[in-house]
Amino acid sequence: MPAYITTPIYYVNDRPHIGHAYTTTVCDVWARAMRLRGEDVFFLTGTDEHGVKVEKSAAAKGVSPQALADENAAEFQRVLKVFGLTNDDFIRTTEPRHEKQVQYFVKRLLDAGSVYLGTFEGWYDEGQEEYYTETRAKELDYKSPISGRPLTRATEQNYYFKLSSFQKQLEDFFAANPDFVQPAARRNEVLGRLRDGLQDVPVTRTNFTWGIPFPGDEKHVIYVWIDALFNYITALGLGEPGGTLATQRAKYWPAAYHVIGKEILWFHAVIWPALLMALELPMPRRIHAHSFWIADGQKMSKSMGNFVDLPTIEGYFAKYGLDAWRWYMATQGPLQASDSDFRAQHFHETYTSDLVNVVGNCPSRVTAMINKYFEGKMPADSQSGGEWPAKCAAAVTTWNAAIDALDLVGAAQAAMGLLREIDAFIHRTEPFKLAKDPARADELCSILAQCAETVRIAGVLLEPFLPAKMAELRVALKQDDGAPLSKRVAWGGIAPGTALEKCALFPRLEA
RNA sequence: GCCGAUGUAGCUCAGGUGGUUAGAGCGAGGGAUUCAUAAACCCUAGGUCGGCGGUUCGACUCCGCCCAUCGGCACCA
């Protein structure tokens, strides 16, 4: 079955930071894992480029909105390369292919009666050009928080999406698909809010022009959120049935995973499914809303200026390497309901205890003994692997289930658990003592062959997390990476007599 | 303010339909050892299980109140 995974499209008004890097890395690990299995994977990311904020920023800089979007989109694309991320496409919402399809979808919603022209009335701040909700306006004593001038009662004509009419259908869908929104805490949040009842949502704006024109009424532009959500299917060409893009990519819909941050849950868990229902398109399989990184115990914010930004991240690459960064993101990140704290010391400890002491050290001691006792030649195992083939198979099963559930920690632990068991096995069987007893040579051969083979298999399972370092391990073990997972984790991949090199994958570093 | 969640060892978190000594990983201290990147291994850590009150023979686990933190409260990308 084709596997489709998406990140949100990133707002071009932002500079790339750890938040973007995190979401994209999570998707990248998953995409690599699925490709390793031999699945047909499509991994999408991109940029969201419309909206009043972009228009204003561009004006402030004295450039056109498109020029600003071009510059920042290019920066996001450059960053993806620096991070070694393997997205299959990069969609930009100002591309004609996207705009045309969004208009097609909106037109269909209009024709189906799911979008209608309505009137919005509310408290308007003329200086700020924004509306406040009734409660917020009351809090402000009906005065502008900026200018102090009284708010005015204003009305505006907008097109609305009949979200309210999907209440029942959404409730039924959530009931039938309890895993649709992950993690469970986020699902409960959505259900709670759903119980309060849905109101129709405006899908157009008239107070600025930097957006996709509303089909048939061009003084309206399509609200950025609606525009942005459609990226998930415009990239597959679903808005141009029969087109070239659709021919190649329509098979990827419905998406397996929309990975998002918790701040945009409502749009993805409720509005997006309702839009798809209105268009009679299939639902994505899962929405996974991760939480946020905080920095040294403090919430990251623009005003605090404490975002873990690109230069900071590149500092970690320089010191620890890209794979170490991926490992920290994937195993220590906020994939579940609570936030994770990014701390330099924690990063260092994770690097040392996981990567140096286990993932680096275990292959090192195994290849070192084989070099010392067998001149580097893979020994023959008269025990056919003993208990290890079954242990490896169990780890693969656990790993597969974890990947299916986007449980990156579980998958990483399944792989690393094998290495920890090999360490224990070496401790128990003491091959370094057997080496001194010629009468027990056969036993020694079996033990070290089993160790090497298990290390090889663990290395395969670690590839999505540590692609560069596991490539080094493959070279040391004289392996290639062509075959699908099932073949590569089969016992006996290293032929007896193969010349194995000593390897030291992760150097110990000072804090 | 309203709704929801969380609060357990230095850090990150498990756990228990109430019952003798509350667990893991990491960090820290000590030991033994060498195949290995002084790594793997063994031992140690005494934390009033957020606070107060209640129910009970007995609560960290049940109930109430309070405090703190986090999320949501719709036009915010």
Side-chain angles (χ1 to χ4, degrees), chain A residues 9 28 34 39 61 78 98 108 163 172 182 258 264 281 343 378 415 446-447 453 480 482 487 499:
Chain A
I9 47 176
D28 187 71
M34 294 303 274
E39 308 274 3
K61 284 189 171 179
R78 185 188 71 81
H98 175 77
R108 274 192 55 188
L163 183 60
D172 292 347
Q182 294 280 314
H258 287 314
I264 54 178
L281 288 167
R343 281 178 294 127
M378 176 71 170
S446 290
I447 289 166
E453 186 59 18
D480 58 45
K487 278 213 166 105

Side-chain angles (χ1 to χ4, degrees), chain A residues 389-437:
Chain A
K391 286 192 181 208
C392 290
V396 171
T397 302
T398 304
W399 185 92
N400 271 314
I403 291 296
D404 284 334
L406 196 66
D407 173 12
L408 301 187
V409 174
Q413 280 177 349
M416 207 163 65
L418 281 176
L419 298 178
R420 291 190 194 279
E421 284 196 75
I422 284 296
D423 277 333
F425 182 59
I426 292 170
H427 178 249
R428 197 166 62 240
T429 58
E430 301 182 309
F432 40 87
K433 285 187 181 163
L434 297 183
K436 291 168 185 162
D437 183 355

Side-chain angles (χ1 to χ4, degrees), chain A residues 376-380 494-500:
Chain A
K377 299 283 196 302
M378 176 71 170
I494 309 174
T498 306
L500 309 183

Side-chain angles (χ1 to χ4, degrees), chain A residues 109-155:
Chain A
L109 291 170
L110 198 57
D111 292 347
S114 297
V115 163
Y116 63 92
L117 186 62
T119 305
F120 174 80
E121 183 178 347
W123 293 104
Y124 189 65
D125 181 336
E126 289 175 345
Q128 293 303 107
E129 295 180 14
E130 63 181 311
Y131 284 92
Y132 296 114
T133 59
E134 186 59 40
T135 40
R136 176 72 179 140
K138 196 172 176 184
E139 261 173 44
L140 296 169
D141 201 21
Y142 304 99
K143 283 178 193 153
S144 166
I146 309 298
S147 64
R149 285 170 33 207
L151 301 178
T152 58
R153 205 63 192 157
T155 62

Side-chain angles (χ1 to χ4, degrees), chain A residues 31-38 399 460-461 463-464 483-485 488:
Chain A
R32 285 177 190 260
M34 294 303 274
R35 289 190 200 109
L36 178 59
R37 281 196 202 177
W399 185 92
V460 173
L461 299 182
E463 281 176 17
L485 182 72
R488 297 188 52 206

Side-chain angles (χ1 to χ4, degrees), chain A residues 453-484:
Chain A
E453 186 59 18
T454 301
V455 164
R456 180 189 69 79
I457 289 167
V460 173
L461 299 182
L462 288 170
E463 281 176 17
F465 297 88
L466 306 166
K469 292 298 181 175
M470 291 307 108
E472 277 182 37
L473 179 64
R474 282 200 305 273
V475 169
L477 302 181
K478 301 294 192 300
Q479 301 293 307
D480 58 45
D481 63 348

Side-chain angles (χ1 to χ4, degrees), chain A residues 120-393:
Chain A
F120 174 80
E121 183 178 347
W123 293 104
Y124 189 65
D125 181 336
E126 289 175 345
Q128 293 303 107
E129 295 180 14
E130 63 181 311
Y131 284 92
Y132 296 114
T133 59
E134 186 59 40
T135 40
R136 176 72 179 140
K138 196 172 176 184
E139 261 173 44
L140 296 169
D141 201 21
Y142 304 99
K143 283 178 193 153
S144 166
I146 309 298
S147 64
R149 285 170 33 207
L151 301 178
T152 58
R153 205 63 192 157
T155 62
E156 195 176 301
Q157 288 232 305
N158 277 318
Y159 286 88
Y160 281 79
F161 171 56
K162 274 191 189 167
L163 183 60
S164 59
S165 68
F166 293 92
Q167 176 92 31
K168 176 76 170 62
Q169 221 178 318
L170 285 165
E171 282 170 358
D172 292 347
F173 177 72
F174 276 95
N177 298 278
D179 294 334
F180 178 62
V181 174
Q182 294 280 314
R186 297 269 102 88
R187 172 173 185 265
N188 291 339
E189 233 169 74
V190 172
L191 291 180
R193 218 170 131 185
L194 203 54
R195 273 194 294 276
D196 294 340
L198 294 171
Q199 290 175 25
D200 294 349
V201 290
V203 295
T204 60
R205 288 294 137 91
T206 50
N207 60 336
F208 64 95
T209 59
W210 183 236
I212 300 176
F214 187 83
D217 192 350
E218 305 220 333
K219 68 177 187 292
H220 293 262
V221 295
I222 296 167
Y223 179 41
V224 269
W225 256 112
I226 302 303
D227 168 2
L229 284 167
F230 279 118
N231 94 84
Y232 300 128
I233 54 177
T234 61
L236 304 181
L238 299 197
E240 221 169 13
T244 4
L245 210 52
T247 311
Q248 294 161 359
R249 297 184 178 175
K251 64 179 173 181
Y252 294 110
W253 191 258
Y257 275 105
H258 287 314
V259 180
I260 60 170
K262 61 185 176 182
E263 82 282 16
I264 54 178
L265 178 60
W266 185 249
F267 290 92
H268 285 80
V270 174
I271 296 175
W272 178 228
L275 286 170
L276 290 167
M277 284 170 178
L279 292 165
E280 297 180 322
L281 288 167
M283 293 296 117
R285 278 199 281 283
R286 274 194 194 172
I287 309 292
H288 188 105
H290 68 243
S291 304
F292 294 151
W293 283 101
I294 58 175
D296 293 315
Q298 299 268 308
K299 197 168 184 166
M300 287 190 236
S301 73
K302 276 176 196 153
S303 52
M304 295 270 299
N306 63 343
F307 266 95
V308 175
D309 58 9
L310 198 54
T312 306
I313 294 169
E314 286 177 328
Y316 282 89
F317 289 177
K319 178 168 180 183
Y320 297 97
L322 192 49
D323 281 4
W325 171 265
R326 291 173 64 87
W327 184 259
Y328 189 68
M329 290 291 104
T331 65
Q332 305 296 322
L335 197 52
Q336 300 305 317
S338 49
D339 294 347
S340 293
D341 197 4
F342 187 96
R343 281 178 294 127
Q345 192 193 341
H346 186 227
F347 189 105
H348 184 82
E349 286 171 4
T350 302
Y351 175 79
T352 303
S353 64
D354 290 350
L355 300 181
V356 178
N357 293 354
V358 179
V359 181
N361 187 58
C362 179
S364 167
R365 65 197 304 205
V366 170
T367 53
M369 281 190 274
I370 290 174
N371 268 273
K372 205 162 188 174
Y373 309 141
F374 302 106
E375 294 167 329
K377 299 283 196 302
M378 176 71 170
D381 176 13
S382 62
Q383 302 171 0
S384 311
E387 61 188 323
W388 294 98
K391 286 192 181 208
C392 290

